[in-house]
């Protein structure tokens, strides 16, 4: 997949989603199988109610979010209220990508995906660094 240059037309939602799905498929087992059970949503910005709940003023300040119960807190007797979901926010990701200017878009999307799945899996910083060396 060829990525557009930063000065080209902004990458669309479906490209961000494809990069995110590639990042999930690159996770090592058993995490990959578990991650494939989590819904993946890509939107331009986080909804206002989500930003308000998190106390975030600017939608450009939120690149991703995990909604759900971390696996480390789940019980087989729990009744799911909604599916676990990893959200990615395209415009915030693109803004960070352009501001940084030193990282590829696929690498940034992978970083956001790994960070959000870290919440799902209950990973430590060391666990994250083993999968996403950008954290080191």
């Amino acid at each position: 997949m060829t990525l557009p240059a930063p000065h080209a037309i902004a990458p669309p939602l479906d490209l961000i989603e494809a990069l995110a799905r590639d990042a999930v498929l690159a996770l090592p087992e058993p995490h990959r199988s578990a991650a494939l059970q989590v819904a993946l949503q890509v939107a331009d910005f986080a909804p206002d109610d989500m930003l308000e709940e998190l106390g975030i003023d600017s939608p450009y300040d939120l690149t991703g979010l995990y909604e759900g119960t971390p696996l480390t807190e789940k019980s087989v007797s729990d009744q799911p209220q909604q599916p676990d979901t990893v959200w990615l926010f395209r415009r915030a990701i693109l803004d960070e990508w352009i501001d940084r200017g030193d990282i590829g878009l696929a690498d940034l999307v992978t970083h956001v995906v790994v960070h959000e799945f870290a919440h799902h899996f209950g990973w430590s910083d060391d666990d994250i660094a083993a999968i996403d060396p950008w954290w080191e």
Side-chain angles (χ1 to χ4, degrees):
M1 173 182 319
T2 302
L3 298 179
H7 62 278
I9 294 174
L13 288 168
D14 61 343
L15 175 60
I16 303 298
E17 182 176 351
L19 294 171
R21 293 199 184 284
D22 288 348
V24 169
L25 292 173
L27 292 171
E29 286 295 355
H31 304 299
R32 180 183 323 119
S33 296
L36 289 169
Q37 303 305 310
V38 175
L40 183 63
Q41 296 288 325
V42 181
D44 273 325
F45 288 112
D48 290 339
D49 60 331
M50 186 182 285
L51 294 170
E52 186 177 316
E53 184 178 319
L54 295 168
I56 297 173
D57 294 326
S58 172
Y60 287 98
D61 291 338
L62 187 62
T63 56
L65 181 74
Y66 169 69
E67 281 188 322
T69 304
L71 291 177
T72 54
E73 299 175 18
K74 286 189 181 194
S75 167
V76 293
S77 61
D78 289 343
Q79 292 297 317
Q81 301 301 312
Q82 63 183 21
D84 291 336
T85 304
V86 166
W87 286 91
L88 299 179
F89 304 111
R90 182 184 78 97
R91 297 282 306 274
I93 289 170
L94 294 178
D95 194 55
E96 181 174 340
W97 176 53
I98 290 166
D99 283 350
R100 285 179 170 276
D102 65 346
I103 187 166
L105 182 59
D107 291 334
L108 181 57
V109 170
T110 295
H111 172 69
V112 174
V113 167
V114 168
H115 177 83
E116 298 313 326
F117 274 101
H119 295 296
H120 174 67
F121 292 118
W123 290 342
S124 68
D125 286 345
D126 288 339
D127 297 331
I128 295 169
I131 291 174
D132 183 11
W134 191 28
W135 278 82
E136 296 178 324

